[in-house]
Amino acid sequence: MSAEKQQTGPAKKRLGELLVESGLASQEKVDLALKMQVGGNRRLGRILVRMNVVSSDHMTEMLSKHLGMPIIDPDAAFQPDARRVLPRYLCDKFDVLPLNVDEDKNIIDLAMTDPLDNEAIESVEKFTKMAVKPCLARLTEINFATKKHVSFSLRDLFNAQSFTPYAKLASTLALCMILVVAVFTYQFYKESKYGTETRTADSVIYKNHDLMVGIERSGKATLLGRGAYAAGYYSIEFESKDALGRFVDNKRNDLSSAQYEWTRWAISKAF
């Protein structure tokens, strides 16, 4: 049998040839895109779309014929188990959307505008630690399904792609504001629970809940203010903070629970 008769059919045409034959792109534009492609990992189709030589939808239809792949509806094919597989920024960067995860085989079905985009496939596989099974879909439908099914998260804010100088500044300011609010919240909580504290070399004075407790380094103590259930005001000096503690225990019914607990705390904390 001759070599000619052993041939099963004509060689498969390249994408650029198909685009020229279909009238979607001129040979000049395809040649220019091929020159731009040399030395890089970009696909010819992506370059031609970026050059506005051919629309994304026309490129998808051509890839479908070229690869023998059906064009799917990513919204209809999306499964909930794929919702958190990729962050939004990676979906947008590569125009992809995870559709389904086969955990037994460690395979992820990935809707793509260009199933020949090895850079996208390698990046997704590196991020997910799963093998990618490309599925062909239109860009507009991928974008729609991505917005519908993939929510923004902290992974979208703190990543190398979106962390531009402006993003860094915005993130830094946001973190500073969070810290300031946290400090003020803590100070408010601390003051509400413990009141104010004034220290000198020889004494410390605590104020809270309409009471003031003063403790001198010598050991003497003072109680000023009004008990929540007392008839009058306190203005009493004690020889020691232990004596003040005994007085507070005896007058516990004249004080609110907050006053009693705070007073005992002030006595235990001083010096």
Side-chain angles (χ1 to χ4, degrees), residues 12 17 28 34 67 72 78 88 99 108 157 160 170 172 187 219-220 222 237:
K12 194 172 184 179
E17 294 174 330
E28 181 184 2
L34 287 170
L67 301 174
I72 67 163
F78 184 84
R88 174 76 75 84
L99 301 175
I108 174 175
L157 180 60
T172 301
Q187 290 294 340
K220 291 184 178 181
T222 303
E237 294 184 357

Side-chain angles (χ1 to χ4, degrees), residues 12-198:
K12 194 172 184 179
K13 294 183 178 180
R14 296 180 180 275
L15 178 61
E17 294 174 330
L18 293 172
L19 289 170
V20 173
E21 288 183 4
S22 64
L24 292 174
S26 67
Q27 187 64 56
E28 181 184 2
K29 295 291 186 181
V30 171
D31 290 342
L32 176 59
L34 287 170
K35 290 179 181 178
M36 295 171 62
Q37 186 186 28
V38 173
N41 295 321
R42 294 179 298 170
R43 302 305 304 178
L44 178 64
R46 177 180 288 269
I47 297 174
L48 290 169
V49 170
R50 292 288 186 266
M51 291 172 60
N52 293 322
V53 173
V54 61
S55 71
S56 178
D57 283 350
H58 284 151
M59 182 59 66
T60 301
E61 293 168 4
M62 183 58 62
L63 285 170
S64 178
K65 296 177 182 178
H66 182 55
L67 301 174
M69 295 179 63
I71 301 174
I72 67 163
D73 179 354
D75 184 37
F78 184 84
Q79 298 297 317
D81 61 355
R83 191 177 303 278
R84 292 180 175 84
V85 171
L86 287 180
R88 174 76 75 84
Y89 81 91
L90 279 181
C91 293
D92 292 340
K93 178 179 180 180
F94 295 112
D95 297 328
V96 300
L97 175 69
L99 301 175
N100 184 46
V101 177
D102 187 337
E103 295 183 354
D104 294 333
K105 297 180 181 179
N106 202 40
I107 293 175
I108 174 175
D109 293 344
L110 189 69
M112 307 180 66
T113 58
D114 184 358
L116 300 176
D117 190 343
N118 290 328
E119 180 187 0
I121 292 174
E122 290 173 2
S123 296
V124 172
E125 288 184 337
K126 182 177 180 180
F127 186 90
T128 62
K129 304 298 189 292
M130 292 185 286
V132 166
K133 177 184 176 183
C135 303
L136 183 60
R138 291 183 174 86
L139 176 61
T140 52
E141 294 180 347
I142 288 179
N143 289 340
F144 171 80
T146 299
K147 292 177 182 178
K148 180 178 179 181
H149 297 294
V150 182
S151 302
F152 278 108
S153 66
L154 288 177
R155 293 187 297 179
D156 295 298
L157 180 60
F158 299 102
N159 67 84
Q161 177 183 327
S162 64
F163 221 49
T164 61
Y166 294 107
K168 288 181 181 179
L169 177 60
S171 299
T172 301
L173 291 175
L175 288 174
C176 289
M177 291 182 65
I178 291 173
L179 289 174
V180 169
V181 171
V183 169
F184 276 106
T185 300
Y186 173 74
Q187 290 294 340
F188 177 77
Y189 164 79
K190 183 179 178 181
E191 188 168 328
S192 297
K193 185 173 183 179
Y194 300 110
T196 60
E197 175 182 326
T198 303

Side-chain angles (χ1 to χ4, degrees), residues 204-264:
V204 58
I205 298 174
Y206 302 101
K207 295 180 181 179
N208 201 18
H209 301 301
D210 295 326
L211 294 174
M212 183 181 77
V213 172
I215 309 291
E216 297 180 12
R217 189 173 291 276
S218 63
K220 291 184 178 181
T222 303
L223 176 65
L224 300 174
R226 181 179 182 279
Y229 308 113
Y233 287 83
Y234 300 125
S235 180
I236 311 171
E237 294 184 357
F238 301 89
E239 290 299 319
S240 68
K241 65 178 184 179
D242 291 337
L244 170 59
R246 289 191 293 271
F247 175 83
V248 169
D249 288 340
N250 291 332
K251 296 296 184 179
R252 184 168 184 171
N253 292 335
D254 291 343
L255 304 173
S256 67
S257 60
Q259 284 180 319
Y260 176 77
E261 292 173 3
W262 173 80
T263 306
R264 294 300 311 182

